[in-house]
Amino acid sequence: MTDLILAHGFDRHAPAERSAAPARDRPPAPHPGRGPAWLGLVIPLLALAGLELAVRAGAVPAHLLPPPSEVAGALHALGAAELWRHVGASVARVAIGFGLGAVLAVLVGAWVGLSPRAAALLDPSIQGLRAIPSLAWVPLLLLWMGIDEAPKITLIAIGAFFPVYLNLTAAIVHVDRRLVEVGRVHGLRGWGLVRHVFLPAALPELFTGLRGGLGLAWMFLVAAELIAATRGLGYLLSDGRETGRADIMLGAIALLGLLGKISDSALALIERRALHWHDGFGSTRA
Amino acid sequence: MTALLEVHIDRKAYAHGPVLERLALELARGEVVVLVGASGCGKSTLLRIVSGLDADYEGRVRLDGQARHGIRPDIGMVFQEPRLLPWLSVADNIAFGHGPATGANAARVRQLLEQIGLAGHASALPKQLSGGQAQRVAIARALFAQPPLLLLDEPFSAVDAFTRMKLQDLLLDVAARNRTALLLVTHDIDEAVYLGDRVLVLDRDPGRLRRAYRVTVPRPRDRRDARLAQVKSEVLTELYDSHAL
């Protein structure tokens, strides 16, 4: 009997002890993976179907909220060539503006992050500029650059710049001092240390900044196109408003959402590839 | 024959006071010297000075009779944590600082991977390794350039006791194969006595050399050897006397 109790007591404690001991010498368990991808489509499809039914049943006036089928019809009626003209113009503006803003932010952000002198010189001014709501630049940009492509691309670049800059400078500050020491012990200095330690270590946060910057790029695109444009999805929006075409406006909004989602997913895919080494909690889902 | 490493530290202080004072230390080629002492006695600081990571001290460090200024690749360093670069494969980590593990580096990387028993893990990422495996890679990385001296700062304190014993034997093995001298800091007296040709006990506030023991037990050693137990008890007595314990 005593034996039994002892054995029982021992058994009861054994698993607790085992789990309390650091499991450092066991390779980590494989990642649990993600849920099925189609699950993400359930809510959008249900919403579209619900909207269609609600309008057809007369619960919502169709001239204010045209059903999805009518929106699709309106876009179809615009014609492929016309649609591509607007989509192409918007995509090109975002691509160029975001590219310029992000590249500039990476260069300036790396410099400010790595050089205390550059940080003391530049960071206060950049933070000051950041405090200005970027849309406030629009009238001035129009005055300076006319209503051509230049002011739109500049505005988008300004929008993309700050998230990338902020995340990169923060990332460089957060780089593990211990890894920097490893680099120094291996004789790395200056650019070698930047290239082999700082940039890879800052990559996760840099991608966060890039995705934030891309989101803002789309936002500022619409702002620029709403005010002065003859093509682009923002123009389509303001044109729809002037002609009282809710279906055109909803179509443009849907396209903006779709393009934003596609571009973000593309960036997320690059991120996942570039950060396959990352061992954060999110690397199991990302 | 000149010593491989000569360290003379007159004084090393942080803001709150001196850490090391009048400390002299020599290492012969291929020798294994272990530093023990209470926490805060400046053992890790001493390693950082020898490695060149800390240049703010009064004194001098000579390697092969040459005064050292700053960091040179002829001293390897293994930290308490593996500190592998998480974005590099095991092979690229081993060749870190010398370019990718291909071309001219490939043969050396393969040789080290075999010596640490991880030949099949060349393309694994650090996150896929256990703690003991990662520390083996860190040892291989520090030995890549065949440095005559390897510094280790409590290298096995984060692994369990069985892994630690295996890693100790592996360390002695690869150090002998690569003809590398070891200067190792530890809190583990068993480890100190098992690994060391000499065990140095450091005092605290400020850190200076209190006593040195020569462990004459021939290698390969048996952990159960009564002579090792004898040295261990002497070291422990010294640590009690120094109020480290």
Side-chain angles (χ1 to χ4, degrees), chain A residues 22-28 31 175 177-188 192-193 195-202 274-280 283, chain B residues 48 51-54 71-73 75-77 79 81-88 93-94 96-98 125 127-133 141-142 158-160 163:
Chain A
R24 287 202 186 88
D25 221 60
R26 209 181 312 137
H31 298 317
V175 168
R177 174 189 59 76
R178 297 172 304 175
L179 292 186
V180 179
E181 272 181 10
V182 169
R184 291 180 56 208
V185 164
H186 284 79
L188 294 179
L193 208 52
R195 160 89 183 70
H196 293 291
V197 179
F198 278 101
L199 284 185
L275 300 182
H276 68 287
W277 52 267
H278 199 242
D279 197 15
S283 60
Chain B
R48 294 178 66 83
S51 73
L53 276 174
D54 192 335
I71 295 164
R72 287 197 341 218
I75 293 185
M77 177 104 180
F79 299 92
E81 331 79 29
R83 298 197 186 184
L84 302 181
L85 298 148
W87 52 87
L88 294 182
N93 259 293
I94 291 177
F96 180 68
H98 305 270
L125 283 170
K127 70 175 176 183
Q128 296 163 314
L129 300 179
S130 70
Q133 290 172 331
R141 175 176 67 183
V159 296
D160 66 79
T163 306

Side-chain angles (χ1 to χ4, degrees), chain A residues 107-118:
Chain A
L107 293 177
V108 179
W111 191 28
V112 166
L114 292 165
S115 154
R117 199 175 283 271

Side-chain angles (χ1 to χ4, degrees), chain B residues 29-42:
Chain B
R29 268 182 195 288
E31 195 183 15
V32 181
V33 173
V34 183
L35 295 167
V36 295
S39 296
C41 72

Side-chain angles (χ1 to χ4, degrees), chain A residues 26-269:
Chain A
R26 209 181 312 137
H31 298 317
R34 321 165 70 201
W38 56 264
L39 218 49
L41 289 173
V42 169
I43 289 177
L45 290 179
L46 279 179
L48 285 178
L51 207 58
E52 186 80 33
L53 289 175
V55 181
R56 298 214 170 195
V60 186
H63 71 281
L64 291 182
L65 189 58
S69 59
E70 237 175 76
V71 172
L75 289 180
H76 185 73
L78 269 181
E82 181 70 0
L83 214 51
W84 276 120
R85 200 169 70 89
H86 294 300
V87 169
S90 291
V91 168
R93 285 167 188 151
V94 165
I96 297 170
F98 171 72
L100 286 175
V103 167
L104 197 66
V106 168
L107 293 177
V108 179
W111 191 28
V112 166
L114 292 165
S115 154
R117 199 175 283 271
L121 177 72
L122 292 175
D123 197 54
S125 304
I126 293 175
Q127 298 296 347
L129 287 175
R130 193 170 74 89
I132 302 168
S134 305
L135 294 182
W137 294 107
V138 172
L140 199 59
L141 289 175
L142 290 176
L143 177 69
W144 285 348
M145 300 174 169
I147 55 167
D148 212 6
E149 294 298 316
K152 300 182 188 69
I153 286 170
T154 307
L155 186 68
I156 294 166
I158 290 174
F161 178 89
F162 289 109
V164 179
Y165 170 85
L166 276 183
N167 277 281
L168 183 59
T169 48
I172 290 172
V173 172
H174 296 158
V175 168
D176 192 341
R177 174 189 59 76
R178 297 172 304 175
L179 292 186
V180 179
E181 272 181 10
V182 169
R184 291 180 56 208
V185 164
H186 284 79
L188 294 179
R189 298 170 56 195
W191 172 243
L193 208 52
V194 173
R195 160 89 183 70
H196 293 291
V197 179
F198 278 101
L199 284 185
L203 217 49
E205 281 176 80
L206 177 60
F207 267 106
T208 305
L210 286 172
R211 288 175 70 178
L214 185 60
L216 281 187
W218 281 104
M219 187 162 123
F220 285 25
L221 166 88
V222 175
E225 287 181 345
L226 273 177
I227 293 161
T230 53
R231 59 205 177 106
L233 292 168
Y235 164 77
L236 211 54
L237 263 176
S238 75
D239 193 48
R241 185 185 61 82
E242 279 166 18
T243 53
R245 293 283 303 275
D247 51 353
I248 295 282
M249 290 159 75
L250 277 171
I253 288 172
L255 281 175
L256 282 167
L258 200 62
L259 289 171
K261 178 75 181 99
I262 289 171
S263 58
D264 184 64
S265 297
L267 203 50
L269 187 71

Side-chain angles (χ1 to χ4, degrees), chain B residues 59-78:
Chain B
R60 62 176 197 276
V61 174
R62 287 168 187 269
L63 189 74
D64 265 333
Q66 304 273 313
R68 280 178 57 82
H69 298 288
I71 295 164
R72 287 197 341 218
D74 46 12
I75 293 185
M77 177 104 180
V78 174

Side-chain angles (χ1 to χ4, degrees), chain B residues 99-137:
Chain B
T102 49
N105 292 332
R108 176 68 177 148
V109 168
R110 205 174 321 117
Q111 183 186 29
L112 282 166
L113 276 170
E114 270 161 29
Q115 288 181 9
I116 60 169
L118 289 176
H121 293 68
S123 56
L125 283 170
K127 70 175 176 183
Q128 296 163 314
L129 300 179
S130 70
Q133 290 172 331
Q135 197 61 308
R136 280 190 265 167
V137 175

